Amino acid sequence: MKHLRYTLITSVAACAFAAPALAEKTEISVSRFFGSCEADYGDVTEAAKGNGECGIITTLINEFNNTSDSYQIKEEVVEWPGYDQLTARLRNGEPPTISVMHQSILSNYASRDLLMPLGDKLTEAGVDLGDMTDAARAGVTKAGDVYAMPFDTLGWLWHTNMNLMEEAGMVNGDGTPVTPSSADDFITQARQFKEATGKPYLCEASVGNAQVYARTLFTLLYQQDHNFFADPTMINLNSDATRNYVDLFKTLYSEGLSTTDYDYSAATAAFPQGECGVYIMGTWLIDTYQQESLKDESALAGGYFVQPFPQLFAQDGIWSDGHAWVIPKQDLNAEEEAAAIAFLKFLWDNNLHWARTGHLPVRSSIIESEEFKSLPARDRLERVALHATPFPPEVKRQFTVTDYVGEEMQAAVNGQKTVDEAIAAAEKRVNDMLARAN
């Protein structure tokens, strides 16, 4: 008995000695917006099962953690857009390892040497920079180097409730919605819709969201061939193109053809509830509304149609931006840097999953793939890929530019300022700020 006990003890000890110790994973932090949805997706480790921006980014991170033997992501969810917080953390020397960043913001940080150049590191990790779309490559290239891993290209869209369009008699023979091709068409169709349905033609996220006004303005300036940043250090809005935008939306607002009291959350919820016919908003809502249209009880049931913002003037153009991932400059050890690059490579490899949100992929090979083309409505988004127009990369503080312009256009559309007063105020605010930034 004693001999058996000794044998068991020595055998167990030998096994314990022989078994390799589990290596501790290298942990890095990833700061991102896109909302919080841990209740729905916190335990889901397959990106294919995520839906919407929050669901897909959460499951992507979960899948990386679940499949990596060496690295672990600590997710940090910040309120959109999160740049004040990021700047404060950089100033305190405690930035996240990786942060999401709009491509329009990138030059603010790259020009101050706050970001790690990534071109060579991504190439070494197996990212084919030649597979980046032109829009994606331009969005993350500053001063000749790649400073971010592009995640998507986004644009300004026309989300449409076909059930209400049918009620208004505004459906073409091929089943597509009647869509304006001029500013006059826009007003005529908005009036027809309201008369037939008793509802506003447009849902607008017009409260506390100045960027909505600016994105629509920039779209219409591009369509009228007004190069408002011919000099990237100075904005020029003093044109008939700006006045045409204000006249159009003042009419929509004054005649009740658009909502005027919704913030982003309210407008985003009102559209699928059948409160309006068209919601002008970005690519990020496609998957959410597509899923809503599959619900029998929804006002959007079987009736969701999405297309790029219509061309109202002679030249096509659509406001555009994109999300990207950056590594703020900091003291990373070799393992931490390897973990960060491995995660960026994972996102590159899984860009098709993110494209299910509605954002356009950053890889040409994915855009050309049957998997992408088979996703709902993607055939109609070609105009975004062809005519999406970002600011010139030399323009600094692009988010602030958009805020300032949007605030002044909001004042003009709502009648708080004349159009000339709003144009002058926008130009002064932007140009004073750019003079300090440059």
Side-chain angles (χ1 to χ4, degrees), residues 15-23:
C15 289
F17 182 80
L22 290 176

Side-chain angles (χ1 to χ4, degrees), residues 103 133-142 390 393:
Q103 293 168 21
T133 63
D134 291 344
R137 184 68 177 264
V140 297
T141 301
K142 310 295 174 187

Side-chain angles (χ1 to χ4, degrees), residues 244-366:
N244 289 338
Y245 158 80
V246 173
D247 288 346
L248 171 59
F249 278 83
K250 280 190 76 169
T251 301
L252 292 168
Y253 277 42
S254 65
E255 295 188 17
L257 304 175
S258 174
T259 64
T260 58
D261 56 353
Y262 288 154
D263 62 11
Y264 174 78
S265 295
T268 300
F271 171 72
Q273 292 169 1
E275 296 301 319
C276 60
V278 173
Y279 184 27
I280 300 174
M281 194 47 66
T283 44
W284 51 90
L285 290 173
I286 291 178
D287 186 48
T288 299
Y289 288 155
Q290 181 64 32
Q291 296 299 319
E292 183 69 20
S293 72
L294 300 177
K295 301 175 182 177
D296 292 339
E297 71 277 10
S298 172
L300 205 56
Y304 175 55
F305 189 94
V306 62
Q307 60 187 323
F309 191 103
Q311 182 180 344
L312 302 183
F313 294 94
Q315 177 170 304
D316 208 350
I318 301 168
W319 166 85
S320 177
D321 200 345
H323 299 112
W325 297 95
V326 300
I327 301 179
K329 277 200 170 176
Q330 57 198 288
D331 293 326
L332 297 178
N333 61 40
E335 291 80 10
E336 291 168 336
E337 182 176 311
I341 298 299
F343 180 64
L344 297 185
K345 175 62 163 56
F346 175 83
L347 295 178
W348 172 262
D349 291 341
N350 289 276
N351 193 231
L352 179 63
H353 282 305
W354 184 246
R356 291 190 291 107
T357 59
H359 299 313
L360 290 175
V362 296
R363 299 180 58 180
S364 298
S365 58
I366 291 179

